[in-house]
Amino acid sequence: MLRTITLGTSVSVQGMYVRDLADGRILVRVDNREIAGRPAS
């Protein structure tokens, strides 16, 4: 499932959902990288 996260105030990243993190962020996979960020609302 595709999910969108925000990094900072103006950068958004969309990737395949990996898992939820304990601090409320989610992990998404983009190509071969895993990126953590806040879910976009």
Side-chain angles (χ1 to χ4, degrees):
M1 164 171 50
L2 281 176
R3 296 288 302 266
T4 304
I5 59 172
T6 56
L7 306 172
T9 57
S10 61
V11 178
S12 297
V13 176
Q14 189 172 43
M16 292 299 292
Y17 173 79
V18 178
R19 64 184 167 103
D20 291 319
L21 300 176
D23 61 1
R25 297 181 302 162
I26 62 172
L27 202 61
V28 296
R29 181 179 303 274
V30 180
D31 293 325
N32 291 329
R33 303 177 101 169
E34 290 185 346
I35 303 171
R38 300 272 174 211
S41 48

